[in-house]
Amino acid sequence: MKKINKSFWIGIIFSVMLYIVIQVLLTTGIFDDVMESTLILICINVMLAVSLNLINGITGQFSIGHAGFMSIGAYVSSILTLNFEMPFVLALVISGLVAAFFGVLIGIPTLRLNGDYLAIATLGFGEIIRIVLLNTEYVGGASGLSGIPNQTTWTIMFLFTLVTIVVINNFIRSTHGRACIAIRENEIAAEAMGINTTLYKVIAFSLGALFAGIAGGLSAHKFYVINPGSFNFLKSFEILVMVVLGGLGSTSGAIVGAIVLTVLFTVLQEYPELRMIIYSAILILMMIFRPKGLLGSSGFSFLKWSKKEVKPSDSINSGSAS
């Protein structure tokens, strides 16, 4: 227990120190507004990647509709702050809960599916949300919503990112998280051990949707304008690539993948003609020479409760079905 507490508190202290350093750089003007926007975008992508990793990497469900939950959070929070003048943080929490509700709603009927069938179902869900938003005048239709107040600061963004990582990582380390890992490894064996597979898949799905919705709300209140085209299936694939690039099933891998891809896109903005070619080439080389991702099953000790990520064999040997 002492080692667990030590690892956890080292992570918290490191995070606080990182926040202080960046805050000083922003306050003194060393980091300009562009850099602040980049840092916030990195944090948004970290939230999205870590939450999707819980569904795809930990529970083993192939979901490609994460942008749908992000769009729900973005639109709900924007409407609450624009039309009802609700406090920003409260609007974020409500938008996350609404996204989680839709996660349960879509999860109950579809998570009985597996593999490609589940991927198609979640992709369809994301497209349904986009089409509904596209044809709803109350939320601006195709033109979307504009004039959204800029209330996402570096401090708020950092706090929500840290909460996302801590909550999801602790869930993974809990008995419930190990049940999700058991489902990933062998769903039939997990059922035989008494695990309610549908229940745990829905829990993972809704928890991932919760933080995706909050990330959508934070994004909307930073970049002023949202429209349905920003949340198409390509956005879902982008989040999925972050997870796979960092290392499927690794929380710290998802964080690294989100940082690397965000920085890569930012650097390549100066070369719009070659951006997608370079981006695609890097991904191809990555999958050839490092198919398990940048970190694979390993990770940083200050981001987790133990010295190693939860590996497939751990979920079986630890008696996760209890």
Side-chain angles (χ1 to χ4, degrees):
M1 184 63 68
K2 291 182 179 180
K3 290 183 179 180
I4 293 177
N5 291 333
K6 182 179 178 180
S7 177
F8 173 74
W9 287 112
I10 288 176
I12 295 297
I13 293 172
F14 175 86
S15 301
V16 172
M17 291 175 61
L18 177 63
Y19 165 76
I20 293 174
V21 170
I22 294 178
Q23 183 63 33
V24 169
L25 293 174
L26 291 171
T27 304
T28 56
I30 297 176
F31 281 180
D32 56 12
D33 293 338
V34 175
M35 180 61 72
E36 182 181 8
S37 297
T38 302
L39 290 171
I40 290 176
L41 182 59
I42 288 174
C43 288
I44 290 170
N45 286 335
V46 166
M47 290 182 65
L48 292 169
V50 170
S51 58
L52 182 62
N53 182 62
L54 175 63
I55 300 171
N56 286 28
I58 301 301
T59 315
Q61 306 305 302
F62 190 20
S63 171
I64 49 176
H66 218 50
F69 300 121
M70 184 184 180
S71 66
I72 292 172
Y75 273 90
V76 170
S77 63
S78 299
I79 291 171
L80 291 177
T81 55
L82 277 173
N83 299 347
F84 298 95
E85 298 182 353
M86 185 173 291
F88 177 49
V89 175
L90 180 59
L92 286 178
V93 173
I94 293 176
S95 65
L97 293 175
V98 173
F101 170 75
F102 275 91
V104 174
L105 198 63
I106 192 66
I108 292 176
T110 61
L111 288 179
R112 296 180 183 274
L113 304 174
N114 291 301
D116 298 339
Y117 302 103
L118 177 60
I120 294 171
T122 54
L123 176 62
F125 163 74
E127 286 301 291
I128 289 172
I129 294 297
R130 186 180 66 84
I131 296 301
V132 169
L133 294 173
L134 192 65
N135 292 278
T136 304
E137 291 299 326
Y138 181 73
V139 296
S143 59
L145 292 174
S146 59
I148 302 170
N150 182 6
Q151 297 182 331
T152 301
T153 63
W154 160 246
T155 300
I156 292 176
M157 189 69 248
F158 181 85
L159 288 175
F160 274 101
T161 305
L162 183 61
V163 168
T164 301
I165 296 172
V166 170
V167 171
I168 290 182
N169 205 54
N170 290 351
F171 174 82
I172 295 171
R173 301 290 160 182
S174 68
T175 303
H176 305 296
R178 291 187 177 276
C180 292
I181 296 171
I183 294 172
R184 177 190 69 188
E185 294 308 306
N186 194 317
E187 187 170 343
I188 296 176
E191 283 185 345
M193 294 295 290
I195 295 176
N196 188 334
T197 57
T198 301
L199 173 63
Y200 279 108
K201 286 192 286 186
V202 170
I203 290 174
F205 210 71
S206 59
L207 188 58
L210 169 71
F211 289 108
I214 294 175
L218 289 164
S219 176
H221 286 82
K222 176 58 184 177
F223 302 108
Y224 305 105
V225 178
I226 55 173
N227 60 75
S230 302
F231 307 103
N232 55 19
F233 71 93
L234 292 177
K235 182 63 178 179
S236 294
F237 279 114
E238 179 184 322
I239 304 169
L240 179 61
V241 169
M242 293 176 187
V243 176
V244 175
L245 179 66
L248 198 62
S250 169
T251 302
S252 48
I255 296 171
V256 172
I259 294 173
V260 169
L261 279 191
T262 306
V263 172
L264 181 63
F265 267 116
T266 303
V267 172
L268 294 179
Q269 281 182 349
E270 299 180 3
Y271 311 96
E273 302 86 0
L274 301 175
R275 183 174 65 176
M276 292 308 298
I277 296 177
I278 297 174
Y279 170 68
S280 302
I282 291 175
L283 292 180
I284 291 172
L285 292 174
M286 182 68 195
M287 291 300 101
I288 293 174
F289 296 104
R290 186 74 177 178
K292 291 185 178 180
L294 291 171
L295 297 186
S297 61
S298 63
F300 301 124
S301 61
F302 53 81
L303 289 177
K304 45 195 185 310
W305 288 87
S306 62
K307 292 185 178 180
K308 294 182 179 179
E309 291 280 4
V310 178
K311 295 183 179 181
S313 58
D314 297 338
S315 61
I316 300 175
N317 297 333
S318 62
S320 59
S322 59

